[in-house]
Amino acid sequence: ISVPHDIYIHVSGIDLIRDPKGHYLVLEDNCRTPSGVSYVLKNREVMKQAFPFLFEDYSVRPVDDYAANLLAVLRHAAPPGVPNPTVVVLTPG
């Protein structure tokens, strides 16, 4: 699927619920303000310490470059003529 300006959603949080008939419905999406990535990053750090063999024996894709990749996407999505957009993260630390 081609999308405007070749900008795709790279991180999203979709909250699903099931109605009384058993159908899944989207309660909300967090495409504009995705949350929870810090849990992924910290979980990976702990898993590497607790189960290092899993990362040696299997092709687990790294997440260490997540912040750099997110910044690159934000710069790509910035309005034309804005080479260094301001990125504000409202999370302590």
Side-chain angles (χ1 to χ4, degrees):
I1 297 174
S2 295
V3 297
H5 309 291
D6 199 31
I7 298 171
Y8 294 82
I9 298 171
H10 294 274
V11 179
S12 65
I14 309 299
D15 295 342
L16 299 176
I17 60 171
R18 196 180 323 197
D19 70 11
K21 293 182 180 180
H23 298 109
Y24 287 100
L25 305 170
V26 175
L27 176 64
E28 68 176 344
D29 71 74
N30 294 301
C31 296
R32 292 168 300 224
T33 55
S35 59
V37 173
S38 60
Y39 296 110
V40 172
L41 300 174
K42 185 49 96 172
N43 177 277
R44 180 60 61 87
E45 184 181 316
V46 171
M47 289 290 291
K48 283 174 132 177
Q49 292 174 3
F51 304 103
F53 62 91
L54 292 175
F55 297 87
E56 296 165 2
D57 297 343
Y58 299 95
S59 297
V60 179
R61 293 180 64 184
V63 295
D64 300 341
D65 57 353
Y66 170 77
N69 287 335
L70 178 61
L71 181 58
V73 168
L74 292 172
R75 285 183 173 150
H76 176 74
V82 180
N84 291 308
T86 300
V87 178
V88 177
V89 179
L90 302 175
T91 304

